[in-house]
Amino acid sequence: VIEVKAAATDNAAVKKVEFKVDDVLIYSDNTYPYIFPRWNPKTIDNGTHSLNVTAYDTSGNLKKASIPITINN
């Protein structure tokens, strides 16, 4: 089990941050600091995947970031 953290800021306010693997939502957090506290990568098939984070602000804007991850259970 690992902890995944995301840094998100906005000139007004961040509404929520979504954590996704291969564009499948695995967790959503609406409280700073934005952390997925107990992700179990054993729920993901072995291989290369994309860990995506999307931050939404209170005005409806969004910003995405993505990193490749390799799962080897």
Side-chain angles (χ1 to χ4, degrees), residues 47-59:
T48 302
H49 300 274
S50 180
L51 177 60
N52 310 293
V53 176
T54 305
Y56 299 85
D57 72 8
T58 54
S59 299

Side-chain angles (χ1 to χ4, degrees), residues 36-50:
F36 181 10
R38 298 192 48 79
W39 180 43
N40 183 355
K42 291 187 178 205
T43 63
I44 307 297
D45 292 336
N46 287 342
T48 302
H49 300 274
S50 180

Side-chain angles (χ1 to χ4, degrees), residues 18-51:
E18 293 180 339
F19 298 84
K20 299 178 181 181
V21 173
D22 299 331
D23 291 320
V24 175
L25 182 65
I26 57 173
Y27 190 76
S28 183
D29 192 355
N30 61 0
T31 306
Y32 178 86
Y34 306 103
I35 299 172
F36 181 10
R38 298 192 48 79
W39 180 43
N40 183 355
K42 291 187 178 205
T43 63
I44 307 297
D45 292 336
N46 287 342
T48 302
H49 300 274
S50 180
L51 177 60

